[in-house]
Every structure is written in C-alpha cells, then in structure tokens.
C-alpha cells in the first residue's frame, strides 16, 4: 500500500535492495540490481558477450589460416562462423509448415485412427486438385455400353452432359440396383422429376424452377462426391424445338408425400449416398 501514500513518486530512502549489484551492460559507470526482473536483461548481455568472444576467436583462427595459405602450407576446410545466425527465409518457413502438417497428421492417426481426423470431404482427395479437362467424348450409343451389364467395363452415368464413373457403387447403379435406370444414359430430366422410367433423357425443356433446382442439386452431388470421378462429356443430338416436350409422369399414389418429395429426384439408398445427399 506504499504507493498510495507516495503518489508523487518520491524515492524511498529507507529501502535497502537485498540483491547484489553489477555493472549496467548498457550504461557505463552505473550499477544495476540482480533482482529477478533484471535477470533476462543481464542474461542477454552475457549471451552477447559470449557470442562476441566466440566471433573474435573465430576471426583469429581465420586469420591464421589465411596466413598459412599465403605461405603455401596445407590447411583444412574453412571453419564456419559459430556465431552466424541463419535467416529463416522462405525455405525455412516451408520446412516448418511441412513439419507442422506431419505432426498434425500423425497426431490424428494416433488419436482417432485416421490421418485426417475423420474428415472425408473432397479436400482430402486427389481428384479435387487434379485438373480433369474435358476428358473423353461419348456418343449416346457409346455411353450405353457402360450401363453395368458387362462386369468387365466401368459403370458410367451422365447428368446434363457430364459423365461420371460410379463403378464404386454397383449395388445401387448396377443391374438390379435401385437406380440402374440412370446408368449408361444421360437421365438429367429424371433427376429433376423423379420419373426414372419415362424421363431417361437429357431434355430439360418445360421443367419447373423446383425441378431445375433438383437437377442442379444432383449435378453438384456427383461433381463433389469423393468416390465418383468425372470422365468426360456425352454428345447429344440437337433437340428439335418443334418436337413435343416429354409428358409429365403420373403423381405418386402415396398422397401423404409432400410436393417437395415429388420433385426431389432419386433419393439415396445406401449409406454413402445418404451422406452425400445430406452434405448438399
């Protein structure tokens, strides 16, 4: 409480510092206390003094070496300056980042059993960063060969022109699967209307705004799916504007379904499909 009675900051002439004093490293002819608050300051001065001593000794050895070289005597390799402090630089920063990433990955493997701490999104898959370009160009007949009926061929489907390899999910898109109608064809319209049999076509004319949103939803789903890879484009014949628009399919018999469910497109059947649907 002494500071309350000494607001003016007058020195306390009765105070006796129990710590010994040493010369001030920065101000000649001045002594400073070795109390705890001053120890980092004094320790740094000691460090700088040691570094200066090492540097001067290195300069002497370097001078002696140069004199021997001048006399033609054999000398060993030049000694680096022991006090040299290399700058971190870009390379050092990159090395630190790499070590930090390795530490995080190994910690995740140890703690959760997975290098990515259980995260399985698109950012941990190589295809997210690997440019795919346009890929292969399919005709409609060529795409139909990859409907899963031949187990030796991959399983492809297309949506609004983009072809995806869905071979990892043959149970759903292969023969006998819930959405086998979608395989080997661009059934973009069915993804919007839910008419799997009647709307196996890329013709999107006449769809409502809600149905078009459903098509875009599934385009995003396949584009971002961690297991499905875009392999190319399908070339469709030009649609004659005068041709009839595909007839709407019959509404589902279950009247308890909401209007949103009628236009939600094909619903995921397996765990991976449900997870992907929920993420969008």
């Amino acid at each position: 409480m002494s500071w309350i009675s000494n607001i003016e900051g007058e020195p306390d002439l009765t105070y006796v510092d129990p710590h010994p004093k040493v010369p001030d490293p920065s101000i000649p002819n001045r002594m400073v206390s070795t109390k705890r608050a001053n120890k980092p300051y004094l320790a740094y001065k000691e460090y700088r003094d040691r570094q200066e001593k090492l540097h001067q000794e290195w300069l002497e050895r370097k001078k002696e070496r140069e004199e021997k070289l001048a006399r033609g005597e054999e000398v060993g390799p030049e000694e680096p300056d022991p006090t040299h402090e290399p700058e971190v630089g870009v390379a050092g920063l990159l090395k630190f980042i790499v070590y930090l990433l390795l530490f995080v990955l190994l910690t995740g493997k140890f703690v959760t059993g997975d290098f990515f701490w259980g995260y399985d999104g698109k950012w941990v898959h190589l295809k997210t960063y690997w440019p795919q370009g346009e890929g292969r160009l399919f005709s409609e007949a060529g795409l139909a060969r990859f409907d899963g009926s031949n187990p030796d061929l991959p399983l492809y489907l297309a949506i609004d022109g983009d072809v995806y390899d869905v071979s990892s999910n043959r149970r759903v898109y292969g023969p006998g699967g819930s959405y086998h109608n979608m395989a080997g064809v661009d059934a973009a319209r069915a993804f919007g209307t839910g008419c799997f049999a009647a709307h196996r076509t890329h013709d999107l004319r006449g769809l409502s705004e809600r149905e078009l949103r459903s098509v875009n939803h599934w385009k995003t789903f396949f584009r971002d799916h961690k297991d499905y890879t875009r392999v190319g484009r399908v070339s469709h014949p030009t649609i004659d504007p005068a041709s009839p628009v595909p007839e709407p399919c019959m509404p589902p018999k279950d009247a308890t379904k909401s209007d949103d469910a009628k236009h939600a497109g094909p619903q995921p059947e397996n765990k991976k499909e449900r997870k992907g649907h929920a993420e969008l």
Side-chain angles (χ1 to χ4, degrees):
M1 299 296 288
S2 60
W3 62 271
I4 297 179
S5 58
N6 189 20
I7 299 178
E8 293 80 7
E10 296 292 336
D12 186 358
L13 300 179
T14 62
Y15 174 74
V16 178
D17 187 357
H19 303 90
K21 293 187 176 183
V22 295
D24 190 324
S26 58
I27 302 177
N29 304 322
R30 182 175 182 268
M31 306 295 287
V32 294
S33 172
T34 56
K35 60 183 179 181
R36 179 177 298 180
N38 289 341
K39 285 185 177 180
Y41 168 69
L42 297 173
Y44 179 73
K45 178 60 170 63
E46 292 177 2
Y47 166 76
R48 296 305 304 172
D49 289 343
R50 287 196 303 269
Q51 290 294 94
E52 180 64 24
K53 181 180 178 182
L54 289 173
H55 182 68
Q56 292 300 326
E57 292 174 350
W58 172 78
L59 289 176
E60 288 295 329
R61 292 193 297 270
K62 182 178 180 181
K63 182 179 178 181
E64 292 176 2
R65 182 178 183 276
E66 292 174 350
E67 291 175 351
K68 289 181 179 180
L69 284 174
R71 292 193 299 267
E73 300 179 13
E74 292 185 1
V75 295
E78 184 176 2
E79 177 187 354
D81 185 353
T83 63
H84 175 66
E85 297 179 356
E87 296 182 1
V88 175
V90 176
L93 180 60
L94 290 177
K95 185 183 294 185
F96 169 76
I97 293 174
V98 170
Y99 287 155
L100 179 62
L101 288 176
L102 288 175
F103 173 77
V104 172
L105 293 175
L106 293 175
T107 304
K109 184 66 175 179
F110 177 77
V111 175
T112 67
D114 182 80
F115 287 111
F116 299 105
W117 295 78
Y119 176 73
D120 198 26
K122 68 175 185 177
W123 302 111
V124 296
H125 295 276
L126 183 61
K127 71 175 186 179
T128 302
Y129 309 96
W130 193 267
Q132 298 175 354
E134 286 301 313
R136 181 177 174 183
L137 183 62
F138 295 84
S139 65
E140 290 184 341
L143 179 62
R145 296 178 55 242
F146 301 92
D147 64 351
S149 56
N150 185 346
D152 295 329
L153 293 178
L155 181 60
Y156 294 163
L157 64 76
I159 177 170
D160 199 22
D162 289 319
V163 181
Y164 292 92
D165 186 339
V166 293
S167 303
S168 61
N169 209 355
R170 286 183 180 270
R171 188 177 69 84
V172 172
Y173 295 107
S178 306
Y179 303 133
H180 178 55
N181 283 343
M182 303 296 189
V185 69
D186 187 344
R189 190 178 190 87
F191 281 102
T193 64
C195 301
F196 301 161
H199 287 173
R200 296 177 72 246
T201 175
H202 65 287
D203 188 350
L204 300 180
R205 293 178 301 160
L207 292 186
S208 67
E209 183 178 347
R210 178 179 298 164
E211 290 168 335
L212 290 174
R213 285 201 303 268
S214 180
V215 173
N216 288 328
H217 162 87
W218 284 96
K219 287 172 63 176
T220 303
F221 171 79
F222 284 104
R223 183 194 67 202
D224 295 342
H225 200 286
K226 67 183 183 66
D227 293 328
Y228 302 154
T229 304
R230 182 181 176 277
V231 294
R233 294 277 299 175
V234 57
S235 177
H236 296 294
T238 303
I239 299 175
D240 184 358
S243 63
V245 175
E247 293 289 335
C249 60
M250 296 297 293
K253 295 181 181 180
D254 187 358
T256 62
K257 289 185 178 180
S258 67
D259 191 45
D260 286 341
K262 296 176 186 178
H263 298 282
Q267 297 302 305
E269 289 288 336
N270 67 348
K271 183 178 180 181
K272 287 184 178 180
E273 295 291 280
R274 287 198 301 271
K275 181 180 177 182
H277 194 281
E279 290 174 349
L280 295 175

